Amino acid sequence: MKINVTRSSMPSFEEYIEEIKPLWDSRWLTNMGAKHNELEESLCNYLLCKNVSLFTNGHLALEAVIASLNLTGEVITTPFTFASTTQAIVRNGLTPVFCDINPEDYTMDASKIESLITEKTSAIIPVHVYGNVCDVEKIEKIAKKHNLKVIYDAAHTFGVKVGNKGIGSFGDASMFSFHATKVFNTIEGGCVTYSDDTLTQKLQIQKNFGMKDSENYTEIAGNSKMNEFQAAMGLCNLRHVDKEIEKRKKAVQRYMERLNGIKGITAWKEQKGVTHNYAYFPVMFDKDVFGASRDEIAQKLSENGIFARKYFYPLTNEFECYKGKFTLQSTPIAKKAASEVLTLPLYADLTSEDVDLICDIILNV
Ligand SMILES: *Cc1c(COP(=O)(O)O)cnc(C)c1O
């Protein structure tokens, strides 16, 4: 028996075949086809956002929106994230400035942003890490005051709501990832959500070789269009995503019942006023109190065929590729979190029995 950290959600084979059948008549396989356009419209409704622009993956969506907003100089961001966030900033020729996180929900500590702003700062790129919502109000206030753009890496927050607002409606834009391992997948895929209609053409140009029309190339850009087979998978998965999130919630509740209140363990918790998507279940292990380190627990689990992830370790401000190129601000709270965190297996079909087995192993280390 083997339990991986995640397992992709899929529709039935028959449902997918039915969805892709028309492609054998239309012979229109990519370049903003019927499935692509239907998915954009469905996602506007589901995510409660004014505009959605689809991409072949989340990372290229983030690169494209950064390029579309014409950012320059420095961008304030978090090192407690997947490589993609920082790489997208650097690949756009920008300098990442690292802000520490708060120890409550591991998102950017908004009270530390202003001290990092210089005359070169053009934007803030925070991450709704693990599906936890950033301090969107405070970040908006700071951005307004200093005339900065805000792009959220919302890769973890598909379907999350704050009150009755879609998480993708905050800031100038948000990027969602539809990678196979995420709550909602299009095999690989992603999107940008935004309110300003003038971004539509800019994103279109970015994803299609810098082409404004067939005779005018106005930007230096690559290719990051979503194809029809990806969009068809998205249309199918979207029909089931609410049920999948409901099942994830059950697994998370069982984890919380088993791990809350154990000395030395800090497990994920809900945020007030937020409708969560139960994307991840991160747990912090304080070795001195719990008696075993994160690494020892990960080792014990893997000996039992259970694969948790040190997500996120290492921090991006410790990546070898940035050494000597940037001032890598130290972020002690993020560093502590990266040394203690283990993200436990979580997916819709993970049963309560599976969760109990995982918790039994952890509690017996
Ligand atoms: C998955 C992920 C991405 C990248 O998305 P892809 O669709 O895999 O390119 C970016 N940021 C974060 C935080 C992620 O977890």
Side-chain angles (χ1 to χ4, degrees), residues 56-62 80-85 127-130 153-156 175-182 187-191 280 311-312:
T56 195
N57 62 54
H59 177 80
L60 289 173
L62 185 57
F80 194 65
T81 183
F82 184 54
S84 173
T85 321
V127 179
H128 299 303
V129 67
Y130 303 131
D153 181 332
H156 296 177
M175 175 277 287
F176 291 83
S177 166
F178 309 150
H179 184 258
T181 56
K182 303 292 206 286
I187 310 169
E188 291 250 13
C191 78
Y280 297 91
Y311 204 51
F312 296 97

PDB file of all heavy atoms in Angstrom, residues 56-62 80-85 127-130 153-156 175-182 187-191 280 311-312, ligand 1:
ATOM      1  N   THR A  56      -1.594  27.761 -20.688  1.00  0.00           N
ATOM      2  CA  THR A  56      -1.229  26.345 -20.718  1.00  0.00           C
ATOM      3  C   THR A  56      -0.722  25.832 -19.375  1.00  0.00           C
ATOM      4  O   THR A  56      -0.742  24.642 -19.103  1.00  0.00           O
ATOM      5  CB  THR A  56      -0.195  26.062 -21.836  1.00  0.00           C
ATOM      6  OG1 THR A  56      -0.152  24.653 -22.058  1.00  0.00           O
ATOM      7  CG2 THR A  56       1.192  26.567 -21.481  1.00  0.00           C
ATOM      8  N   ASN A  57      -0.255  26.756 -18.516  1.00  0.00           N
ATOM      9  CA  ASN A  57       0.041  26.395 -17.131  1.00  0.00           C
ATOM     10  C   ASN A  57       0.029  27.666 -16.274  1.00  0.00           C
ATOM     11  O   ASN A  57      -0.011  28.784 -16.810  1.00  0.00           O
ATOM     12  CB  ASN A  57       1.357  25.605 -16.985  1.00  0.00           C
ATOM     13  CG  ASN A  57       2.562  26.400 -17.447  1.00  0.00           C
ATOM     14  OD1 ASN A  57       2.797  27.516 -16.997  1.00  0.00           O
ATOM     15  ND2 ASN A  57       3.336  25.812 -18.350  1.00  0.00           N
ATOM     16  N   GLY A  58       0.052  27.480 -14.969  1.00  0.00           N
ATOM     17  CA  GLY A  58      -0.037  28.631 -14.064  1.00  0.00           C
ATOM     18  C   GLY A  58       1.207  29.499 -14.094  1.00  0.00           C
ATOM     19  O   GLY A  58       1.125  30.724 -14.038  1.00  0.00           O
ATOM     20  N   HIS A  59       2.353  28.847 -14.205  1.00  0.00           N
ATOM     21  CA  HIS A  59       3.597  29.606 -14.187  1.00  0.00           C
ATOM     22  C   HIS A  59       3.664  30.619 -15.337  1.00  0.00           C
ATOM     23  O   HIS A  59       3.991  31.787 -15.134  1.00  0.00           O
ATOM     24  CB  HIS A  59       4.822  28.676 -14.246  1.00  0.00           C
ATOM     25  CG  HIS A  59       6.091  29.448 -14.300  1.00  0.00           C
ATOM     26  ND1 HIS A  59       6.666  29.989 -13.183  1.00  0.00           N
ATOM     27  CD2 HIS A  59       6.851  29.841 -15.347  1.00  0.00           C
ATOM     28  CE1 HIS A  59       7.736  30.680 -13.534  1.00  0.00           C
ATOM     29  NE2 HIS A  59       7.875  30.602 -14.843  1.00  0.00           N
ATOM     30  N   LEU A  60       3.346  30.163 -16.546  1.00  0.00           N
ATOM     31  CA  LEU A  60       3.399  31.079 -17.694  1.00  0.00           C
ATOM     32  C   LEU A  60       2.304  32.148 -17.604  1.00  0.00           C
ATOM     33  O   LEU A  60       2.475  33.265 -18.105  1.00  0.00           O
ATOM     34  CB  LEU A  60       3.336  30.298 -19.012  1.00  0.00           C
ATOM     35  CG  LEU A  60       4.621  29.500 -19.298  1.00  0.00           C
ATOM     36  CD1 LEU A  60       4.439  28.601 -20.519  1.00  0.00           C
ATOM     37  CD2 LEU A  60       5.834  30.409 -19.493  1.00  0.00           C
ATOM     38  N   ALA A  61       1.205  31.822 -16.944  1.00  0.00           N
ATOM     39  CA  ALA A  61       0.158  32.827 -16.698  1.00  0.00           C
ATOM     40  C   ALA A  61       0.726  33.941 -15.823  1.00  0.00           C
ATOM     41  O   ALA A  61       0.516  35.129 -16.082  1.00  0.00           O
ATOM     42  CB  ALA A  61      -1.049  32.177 -16.031  1.00  0.00           C
ATOM     43  N   LEU A  62       1.487  33.553 -14.797  1.00  0.00           N
ATOM     44  CA  LEU A  62       2.088  34.552 -13.898  1.00  0.00           C
ATOM     45  C   LEU A  62       3.132  35.390 -14.642  1.00  0.00           C
ATOM     46  O   LEU A  62       3.156  36.617 -14.526  1.00  0.00           O
ATOM     47  CB  LEU A  62       2.704  33.837 -12.684  1.00  0.00           C
ATOM     48  CG  LEU A  62       3.276  34.729 -11.586  1.00  0.00           C
ATOM     49  CD1 LEU A  62       2.238  35.701 -11.042  1.00  0.00           C
ATOM     50  CD2 LEU A  62       3.830  33.865 -10.435  1.00  0.00           C
ATOM     51  N   PHE A  80       8.348  32.034   1.019  1.00  0.00           N
ATOM     52  CA  PHE A  80       7.705  30.799   1.489  1.00  0.00           C
ATOM     53  C   PHE A  80       6.648  30.399   0.459  1.00  0.00           C
ATOM     54  O   PHE A  80       5.446  30.591   0.633  1.00  0.00           O
ATOM     55  CB  PHE A  80       7.076  31.024   2.869  1.00  0.00           C
ATOM     56  CG  PHE A  80       6.696  29.739   3.561  1.00  0.00           C
ATOM     57  CD1 PHE A  80       7.653  28.815   3.943  1.00  0.00           C
ATOM     58  CD2 PHE A  80       5.362  29.457   3.851  1.00  0.00           C
ATOM     59  CE1 PHE A  80       7.308  27.631   4.589  1.00  0.00           C
ATOM     60  CE2 PHE A  80       5.008  28.273   4.493  1.00  0.00           C
ATOM     61  CZ  PHE A  80       5.986  27.361   4.859  1.00  0.00           C
ATOM     62  N   THR A  81       7.129  29.856  -0.657  1.00  0.00           N
ATOM     63  CA  THR A  81       6.269  29.533  -1.790  1.00  0.00           C
ATOM     64  C   THR A  81       6.969  28.524  -2.684  1.00  0.00           C
ATOM     65  O   THR A  81       8.128  28.172  -2.470  1.00  0.00           O
ATOM     66  CB  THR A  81       5.938  30.821  -2.579  1.00  0.00           C
ATOM     67  OG1 THR A  81       5.044  30.492  -3.649  1.00  0.00           O
ATOM     68  CG2 THR A  81       7.191  31.480  -3.162  1.00  0.00           C
ATOM     69  N   PHE A  82       6.252  28.089  -3.696  1.00  0.00           N
ATOM     70  CA  PHE A  82       6.823  27.232  -4.718  1.00  0.00           C
ATOM     71  C   PHE A  82       7.754  28.077  -5.605  1.00  0.00           C
ATOM     72  O   PHE A  82       7.545  29.281  -5.763  1.00  0.00           O
ATOM     73  CB  PHE A  82       5.688  26.623  -5.547  1.00  0.00           C
ATOM     74  CG  PHE A  82       6.142  25.646  -6.579  1.00  0.00           C
ATOM     75  CD1 PHE A  82       6.930  24.557  -6.251  1.00  0.00           C
ATOM     76  CD2 PHE A  82       5.775  25.812  -7.907  1.00  0.00           C
ATOM     77  CE1 PHE A  82       7.350  23.661  -7.212  1.00  0.00           C
ATOM     78  CE2 PHE A  82       6.185  24.923  -8.876  1.00  0.00           C
ATOM     79  CZ  PHE A  82       6.969  23.848  -8.530  1.00  0.00           C
ATOM     80  N   ALA A  83       8.773  27.446  -6.169  1.00  0.00           N
ATOM     81  CA  ALA A  83       9.773  28.109  -7.006  1.00  0.00           C
ATOM     82  C   ALA A  83       9.169  29.084  -8.019  1.00  0.00           C
ATOM     83  O   ALA A  83       9.720  30.162  -8.277  1.00  0.00           O
ATOM     84  CB  ALA A  83      10.584  27.052  -7.757  1.00  0.00           C
ATOM     85  N   SER A  84       8.038  28.706  -8.571  1.00  0.00           N
ATOM     86  CA  SER A  84       7.397  29.465  -9.647  1.00  0.00           C
ATOM     87  C   SER A  84       7.256  30.964  -9.364  1.00  0.00           C
ATOM     88  O   SER A  84       7.527  31.786 -10.249  1.00  0.00           O
ATOM     89  CB  SER A  84       6.014  28.855  -9.911  1.00  0.00           C
ATOM     90  OG  SER A  84       5.294  29.629 -10.825  1.00  0.00           O
ATOM     91  N   THR A  85       6.820  31.330  -8.159  1.00  0.00           N
ATOM     92  CA  THR A  85       6.544  32.743  -7.856  1.00  0.00           C
ATOM     93  C   THR A  85       7.792  33.591  -8.075  1.00  0.00           C
ATOM     94  O   THR A  85       7.763  34.596  -8.782  1.00  0.00           O
ATOM     95  CB  THR A  85       6.071  32.903  -6.394  1.00  0.00           C
ATOM     96  OG1 THR A  85       5.206  31.821  -6.047  1.00  0.00           O
ATOM     97  CG2 THR A  85       5.371  34.229  -6.182  1.00  0.00           C
ATOM     98  N   VAL A 127       1.456  35.523  -1.903  1.00  0.00           N
ATOM     99  CA  VAL A 127       0.950  34.179  -2.228  1.00  0.00           C
ATOM    100  C   VAL A 127      -0.094  33.774  -1.182  1.00  0.00           C
ATOM    101  O   VAL A 127       0.167  33.870   0.018  1.00  0.00           O
ATOM    102  CB  VAL A 127       2.112  33.146  -2.221  1.00  0.00           C
ATOM    103  CG1 VAL A 127       1.588  31.746  -2.544  1.00  0.00           C
ATOM    104  CG2 VAL A 127       3.210  33.550  -3.196  1.00  0.00           C
ATOM    105  N   HIS A 128      -1.247  33.327  -1.646  1.00  0.00           N
ATOM    106  CA  HIS A 128      -2.261  32.776  -0.722  1.00  0.00           C
ATOM    107  C   HIS A 128      -1.844  31.330  -0.415  1.00  0.00           C
ATOM    108  O   HIS A 128      -2.450  30.376  -0.903  1.00  0.00           O
ATOM    109  CB  HIS A 128      -3.644  32.783  -1.364  1.00  0.00           C
ATOM    110  CG  HIS A 128      -4.154  34.135  -1.745  1.00  0.00           C
ATOM    111  ND1 HIS A 128      -4.293  35.170  -0.854  1.00  0.00           N
ATOM    112  CD2 HIS A 128      -4.596  34.611  -2.945  1.00  0.00           C
ATOM    113  CE1 HIS A 128      -4.811  36.231  -1.483  1.00  0.00           C
ATOM    114  NE2 HIS A 128      -4.986  35.918  -2.746  1.00  0.00           N
ATOM    115  N   VAL A 129      -0.823  31.205   0.395  1.00  0.00           N
ATOM    116  CA  VAL A 129      -0.158  29.907   0.543  1.00  0.00           C
ATOM    117  C   VAL A 129      -1.040  28.877   1.281  1.00  0.00           C
ATOM    118  O   VAL A 129      -1.718  29.226   2.248  1.00  0.00           O
ATOM    119  CB  VAL A 129       1.214  30.114   1.240  1.00  0.00           C
ATOM    120  CG1 VAL A 129       1.076  30.574   2.679  1.00  0.00           C
ATOM    121  CG2 VAL A 129       2.092  28.884   1.142  1.00  0.00           C
ATOM    122  N   TYR A 130      -1.063  27.654   0.795  1.00  0.00           N
ATOM    123  CA  TYR A 130      -1.882  26.539   1.330  1.00  0.00           C
ATOM    124  C   TYR A 130      -3.387  26.815   1.223  1.00  0.00           C
ATOM    125  O   TYR A 130      -4.189  26.163   1.895  1.00  0.00           O
ATOM    126  CB  TYR A 130      -1.570  26.262   2.809  1.00  0.00           C
ATOM    127  CG  TYR A 130      -0.134  25.950   3.128  1.00  0.00           C
ATOM    128  CD1 TYR A 130       0.513  26.612   4.170  1.00  0.00           C
ATOM    129  CD2 TYR A 130       0.571  24.984   2.422  1.00  0.00           C
ATOM    130  CE1 TYR A 130       1.823  26.317   4.502  1.00  0.00           C
ATOM    131  CE2 TYR A 130       1.888  24.682   2.747  1.00  0.00           C
ATOM    132  CZ  TYR A 130       2.504  25.354   3.782  1.00  0.00           C
ATOM    133  OH  TYR A 130       3.799  25.069   4.111  1.00  0.00           O
ATOM    134  N   ASP A 153      -0.371  35.408  -6.275  1.00  0.00           N
ATOM    135  CA  ASP A 153      -0.198  34.015  -6.677  1.00  0.00           C
ATOM    136  C   ASP A 153      -1.286  33.255  -5.925  1.00  0.00           C
ATOM    137  O   ASP A 153      -1.183  33.013  -4.718  1.00  0.00           O
ATOM    138  CB  ASP A 153       1.199  33.507  -6.294  1.00  0.00           C
ATOM    139  CG  ASP A 153       1.422  32.054  -6.712  1.00  0.00           C
ATOM    140  OD1 ASP A 153       0.427  31.306  -6.779  1.00  0.00           O
ATOM    141  OD2 ASP A 153       2.583  31.661  -6.936  1.00  0.00           O
ATOM    142  N   ALA A 154      -2.364  32.959  -6.662  1.00  0.00           N
ATOM    143  CA  ALA A 154      -3.528  32.289  -6.071  1.00  0.00           C
ATOM    144  C   ALA A 154      -3.570  30.820  -6.494  1.00  0.00           C
ATOM    145  O   ALA A 154      -4.635  30.199  -6.522  1.00  0.00           O
ATOM    146  CB  ALA A 154      -4.799  33.019  -6.489  1.00  0.00           C
ATOM    147  N   ALA A 155      -2.388  30.266  -6.808  1.00  0.00           N
ATOM    148  CA  ALA A 155      -2.305  28.881  -7.292  1.00  0.00           C
ATOM    149  C   ALA A 155      -2.987  27.889  -6.351  1.00  0.00           C
ATOM    150  O   ALA A 155      -3.499  26.859  -6.790  1.00  0.00           O
ATOM    151  CB  ALA A 155      -0.843  28.483  -7.499  1.00  0.00           C
ATOM    152  N   HIS A 156      -3.002  28.218  -5.039  1.00  0.00           N
ATOM    153  CA  HIS A 156      -3.563  27.289  -4.046  1.00  0.00           C
ATOM    154  C   HIS A 156      -5.017  27.575  -3.690  1.00  0.00           C
ATOM    155  O   HIS A 156      -5.581  26.875  -2.859  1.00  0.00           O
ATOM    156  CB  HIS A 156      -2.754  27.361  -2.743  1.00  0.00           C
ATOM    157  CG  HIS A 156      -1.340  26.911  -2.870  1.00  0.00           C
ATOM    158  ND1 HIS A 156      -0.444  26.969  -1.832  1.00  0.00           N
ATOM    159  CD2 HIS A 156      -0.658  26.388  -3.924  1.00  0.00           C
ATOM    160  CE1 HIS A 156       0.731  26.521  -2.227  1.00  0.00           C
ATOM    161  NE2 HIS A 156       0.636  26.163  -3.495  1.00  0.00           N
ATOM    162  N   MET A 175      -3.235  34.864 -10.229  1.00  0.00           N
ATOM    163  CA  MET A 175      -2.912  33.707 -11.061  1.00  0.00           C
ATOM    164  C   MET A 175      -3.371  32.438 -10.348  1.00  0.00           C
ATOM    165  O   MET A 175      -3.097  32.257  -9.170  1.00  0.00           O
ATOM    166  CB  MET A 175      -1.399  33.626 -11.293  1.00  0.00           C
ATOM    167  CG  MET A 175      -0.950  32.393 -12.058  1.00  0.00           C
ATOM    168  SD  MET A 175      -0.751  30.890 -11.048  1.00  0.00           S
ATOM    169  CE  MET A 175       0.743  31.252 -10.154  1.00  0.00           C
ATOM    170  N   PHE A 176      -4.098  31.594 -11.070  1.00  0.00           N
ATOM    171  CA  PHE A 176      -4.501  30.284 -10.543  1.00  0.00           C
ATOM    172  C   PHE A 176      -3.776  29.194 -11.336  1.00  0.00           C
ATOM    173  O   PHE A 176      -3.558  29.347 -12.536  1.00  0.00           O
ATOM    174  CB  PHE A 176      -6.006  30.079 -10.704  1.00  0.00           C
ATOM    175  CG  PHE A 176      -6.844  30.966  -9.817  1.00  0.00           C
ATOM    176  CD1 PHE A 176      -7.142  32.265 -10.209  1.00  0.00           C
ATOM    177  CD2 PHE A 176      -7.319  30.517  -8.604  1.00  0.00           C
ATOM    178  CE1 PHE A 176      -7.903  33.097  -9.399  1.00  0.00           C
ATOM    179  CE2 PHE A 176      -8.089  31.337  -7.781  1.00  0.00           C
ATOM    180  CZ  PHE A 176      -8.380  32.632  -8.176  1.00  0.00           C
ATOM    181  N   SER A 177      -3.431  28.115 -10.671  1.00  0.00           N
ATOM    182  CA  SER A 177      -2.830  26.968 -11.348  1.00  0.00           C
ATOM    183  C   SER A 177      -3.833  25.828 -11.423  1.00  0.00           C
ATOM    184  O   SER A 177      -4.510  25.525 -10.436  1.00  0.00           O
ATOM    185  CB  SER A 177      -1.597  26.476 -10.590  1.00  0.00           C
ATOM    186  OG  SER A 177      -1.227  25.189 -11.059  1.00  0.00           O
ATOM    187  N   PHE A 178      -3.914  25.221 -12.606  1.00  0.00           N
ATOM    188  CA  PHE A 178      -4.778  24.045 -12.798  1.00  0.00           C
ATOM    189  C   PHE A 178      -3.916  22.814 -13.067  1.00  0.00           C
ATOM    190  O   PHE A 178      -4.261  21.962 -13.883  1.00  0.00           O
ATOM    191  CB  PHE A 178      -5.748  24.276 -13.977  1.00  0.00           C
ATOM    192  CG  PHE A 178      -6.529  25.562 -13.911  1.00  0.00           C
ATOM    193  CD1 PHE A 178      -6.931  26.191 -15.086  1.00  0.00           C
ATOM    194  CD2 PHE A 178      -6.896  26.135 -12.693  1.00  0.00           C
ATOM    195  CE1 PHE A 178      -7.660  27.372 -15.053  1.00  0.00           C
ATOM    196  CE2 PHE A 178      -7.630  27.317 -12.647  1.00  0.00           C
ATOM    197  CZ  PHE A 178      -8.009  27.943 -13.837  1.00  0.00           C
ATOM    198  N   HIS A 179      -2.766  22.749 -12.391  1.00  0.00           N
ATOM    199  CA  HIS A 179      -1.885  21.595 -12.530  1.00  0.00           C
ATOM    200  C   HIS A 179      -2.566  20.346 -11.956  1.00  0.00           C
ATOM    201  O   HIS A 179      -3.417  20.448 -11.060  1.00  0.00           O
ATOM    202  CB  HIS A 179      -0.573  21.868 -11.774  1.00  0.00           C
ATOM    203  CG  HIS A 179       0.437  20.796 -11.940  1.00  0.00           C
ATOM    204  ND1 HIS A 179       0.680  19.840 -10.967  1.00  0.00           N
ATOM    205  CD2 HIS A 179       1.257  20.506 -12.978  1.00  0.00           C
ATOM    206  CE1 HIS A 179       1.613  19.022 -11.413  1.00  0.00           C
ATOM    207  NE2 HIS A 179       1.982  19.403 -12.617  1.00  0.00           N
ATOM    208  N   ALA A 180      -2.179  19.195 -12.453  1.00  0.00           N
ATOM    209  CA  ALA A 180      -2.777  17.920 -12.046  1.00  0.00           C
ATOM    210  C   ALA A 180      -2.852  17.734 -10.528  1.00  0.00           C
ATOM    211  O   ALA A 180      -3.737  17.038 -10.028  1.00  0.00           O
ATOM    212  CB  ALA A 180      -1.992  16.776 -12.673  1.00  0.00           C
ATOM    213  N   THR A 181      -1.934  18.341  -9.796  1.00  0.00           N
ATOM    214  CA  THR A 181      -1.896  18.138  -8.346  1.00  0.00           C
ATOM    215  C   THR A 181      -2.768  19.140  -7.575  1.00  0.00           C
ATOM    216  O   THR A 181      -2.853  19.064  -6.356  1.00  0.00           O
ATOM    217  CB  THR A 181      -0.456  18.302  -7.832  1.00  0.00           C
ATOM    218  OG1 THR A 181       0.011  19.606  -8.228  1.00  0.00           O
ATOM    219  CG2 THR A 181       0.462  17.243  -8.391  1.00  0.00           C
ATOM    220  N   LYS A 182      -3.394  20.067  -8.278  1.00  0.00           N
ATOM    221  CA  LYS A 182      -4.152  21.101  -7.581  1.00  0.00           C
ATOM    222  C   LYS A 182      -5.622  20.687  -7.376  1.00  0.00           C
ATOM    223  O   LYS A 182      -6.086  19.700  -7.956  1.00  0.00           O
ATOM    224  CB  LYS A 182      -4.053  22.417  -8.372  1.00  0.00           C
ATOM    225  CG  LYS A 182      -2.609  22.904  -8.622  1.00  0.00           C
ATOM    226  CD  LYS A 182      -1.902  23.345  -7.344  1.00  0.00           C
ATOM    227  CE  LYS A 182      -0.797  24.353  -7.488  1.00  0.00           C
ATOM    228  NZ  LYS A 182       0.486  23.928  -8.032  1.00  0.00           N
ATOM    229  N   ILE A 187      -5.264  19.066 -16.389  1.00  0.00           N
ATOM    230  CA  ILE A 187      -4.045  18.277 -16.621  1.00  0.00           C
ATOM    231  C   ILE A 187      -2.850  19.172 -16.264  1.00  0.00           C
ATOM    232  O   ILE A 187      -2.264  19.008 -15.213  1.00  0.00           O
ATOM    233  CB  ILE A 187      -3.920  17.730 -18.062  1.00  0.00           C
ATOM    234  CG1 ILE A 187      -5.236  17.017 -18.448  1.00  0.00           C
ATOM    235  CG2 ILE A 187      -2.717  16.769 -18.167  1.00  0.00           C
ATOM    236  CD1 ILE A 187      -5.364  16.662 -19.909  1.00  0.00           C
ATOM    237  N   GLU A 188      -2.483  20.082 -17.167  1.00  0.00           N
ATOM    238  CA  GLU A 188      -1.667  21.248 -16.862  1.00  0.00           C
ATOM    239  C   GLU A 188      -2.543  22.427 -17.262  1.00  0.00           C
ATOM    240  O   GLU A 188      -3.364  22.318 -18.176  1.00  0.00           O
ATOM    241  CB  GLU A 188      -0.380  21.285 -17.694  1.00  0.00           C
ATOM    242  CG  GLU A 188       0.630  20.222 -17.349  1.00  0.00           C
ATOM    243  CD  GLU A 188       1.886  20.760 -16.658  1.00  0.00           C
ATOM    244  OE1 GLU A 188       1.904  21.921 -16.207  1.00  0.00           O
ATOM    245  OE2 GLU A 188       2.849  19.966 -16.567  1.00  0.00           O
ATOM    246  N   GLY A 189      -2.356  23.551 -16.622  1.00  0.00           N
ATOM    247  CA  GLY A 189      -3.138  24.707 -17.020  1.00  0.00           C
ATOM    248  C   GLY A 189      -3.129  25.772 -15.955  1.00  0.00           C
ATOM    249  O   GLY A 189      -2.583  25.570 -14.861  1.00  0.00           O
ATOM    250  N   GLY A 190      -3.700  26.907 -16.294  1.00  0.00           N
ATOM    251  CA  GLY A 190      -3.781  27.992 -15.330  1.00  0.00           C
ATOM    252  C   GLY A 190      -4.526  29.161 -15.924  1.00  0.00           C
ATOM    253  O   GLY A 190      -4.939  29.119 -17.092  1.00  0.00           O
ATOM    254  N   CYS A 191      -4.731  30.193 -15.126  1.00  0.00           N
ATOM    255  CA  CYS A 191      -5.402  31.383 -15.639  1.00  0.00           C
ATOM    256  C   CYS A 191      -4.994  32.615 -14.866  1.00  0.00           C
ATOM    257  O   CYS A 191      -4.401  32.528 -13.787  1.00  0.00           O
ATOM    258  CB  CYS A 191      -6.926  31.226 -15.607  1.00  0.00           C
ATOM    259  SG  CYS A 191      -7.675  31.458 -13.978  1.00  0.00           S
ATOM    260  N   TYR A 280      -4.410  21.976   1.056  1.00  0.00           N
ATOM    261  CA  TYR A 280      -3.231  21.345   1.666  1.00  0.00           C
ATOM    262  C   TYR A 280      -3.453  21.195   3.153  1.00  0.00           C
ATOM    263  O   TYR A 280      -4.241  21.932   3.752  1.00  0.00           O
ATOM    264  CB  TYR A 280      -1.979  22.225   1.439  1.00  0.00           C
ATOM    265  CG  TYR A 280      -1.635  22.388  -0.019  1.00  0.00           C
ATOM    266  CD1 TYR A 280      -2.148  23.460  -0.754  1.00  0.00           C
ATOM    267  CD2 TYR A 280      -0.826  21.459  -0.675  1.00  0.00           C
ATOM    268  CE1 TYR A 280      -1.860  23.598  -2.105  1.00  0.00           C
ATOM    269  CE2 TYR A 280      -0.542  21.603  -2.022  1.00  0.00           C
ATOM    270  CZ  TYR A 280      -1.058  22.670  -2.729  1.00  0.00           C
ATOM    271  OH  TYR A 280      -0.777  22.805  -4.063  1.00  0.00           O
ATOM    272  N   TYR A 311       6.977  20.994   2.081  1.00  0.00           N
ATOM    273  CA  TYR A 311       6.430  21.999   1.191  1.00  0.00           C
ATOM    274  C   TYR A 311       6.119  23.215   2.031  1.00  0.00           C
ATOM    275  O   TYR A 311       5.164  23.171   2.803  1.00  0.00           O
ATOM    276  CB  TYR A 311       5.161  21.388   0.595  1.00  0.00           C
ATOM    277  CG  TYR A 311       4.657  21.875  -0.698  1.00  0.00           C
ATOM    278  CD1 TYR A 311       5.469  21.979  -1.815  1.00  0.00           C
ATOM    279  CD2 TYR A 311       3.314  22.216  -0.824  1.00  0.00           C
ATOM    280  CE1 TYR A 311       4.952  22.401  -3.024  1.00  0.00           C
ATOM    281  CE2 TYR A 311       2.800  22.632  -2.031  1.00  0.00           C
ATOM    282  CZ  TYR A 311       3.619  22.726  -3.126  1.00  0.00           C
ATOM    283  OH  TYR A 311       3.105  23.137  -4.316  1.00  0.00           O
ATOM    284  N   PHE A 312       6.972  24.271   2.186  1.00  0.00           N
ATOM    285  CA  PHE A 312       8.015  24.682   1.270  1.00  0.00           C
ATOM    286  C   PHE A 312       9.381  24.722   1.932  1.00  0.00           C
ATOM    287  O   PHE A 312       9.616  25.537   2.810  1.00  0.00           O
ATOM    288  CB  PHE A 312       7.698  26.067   0.715  1.00  0.00           C
ATOM    289  CG  PHE A 312       6.448  26.044  -0.087  1.00  0.00           C
ATOM    290  CD1 PHE A 312       5.250  26.425   0.484  1.00  0.00           C
ATOM    291  CD2 PHE A 312       6.469  25.586  -1.395  1.00  0.00           C
ATOM    292  CE1 PHE A 312       4.081  26.372  -0.264  1.00  0.00           C
ATOM    293  CE2 PHE A 312       5.299  25.547  -2.139  1.00  0.00           C
ATOM    294  CZ  PHE A 312       4.111  25.935  -1.561  1.00  0.00           C
TER     295      PHE A 312
HETATM  296  C1  LIG B   1       1.612  25.043  -8.660  1.00  0.00           C
HETATM  297  C2  LIG B   1       2.108  26.414  -8.317  1.00  0.00           C
HETATM  298  C3  LIG B   1       2.501  27.334  -9.299  1.00  0.00           C
HETATM  299  C4  LIG B   1       2.721  26.971 -10.746  1.00  0.00           C
HETATM  300  O1  LIG B   1       1.662  26.458 -11.397  1.00  0.00           O
HETATM  301  P1  LIG B   1       1.842  25.465 -12.637  1.00  0.00           P
HETATM  302  O2  LIG B   1       0.449  25.376 -13.165  1.00  0.00           O
HETATM  303  O3  LIG B   1       2.369  24.169 -12.134  1.00  0.00           O
HETATM  304  O4  LIG B   1       2.760  26.107 -13.615  1.00  0.00           O
HETATM  305  C5  LIG B   1       2.823  28.620  -8.910  1.00  0.00           C
HETATM  306  N1  LIG B   1       2.800  28.995  -7.621  1.00  0.00           N
HETATM  307  C6  LIG B   1       2.460  28.148  -6.637  1.00  0.00           C
HETATM  308  C7  LIG B   1       2.444  28.625  -5.224  1.00  0.00           C
HETATM  309  C8  LIG B   1       2.127  26.815  -6.945  1.00  0.00           C
HETATM  310  O5  LIG B   1       1.844  25.949  -5.965  1.00  0.00           O
END
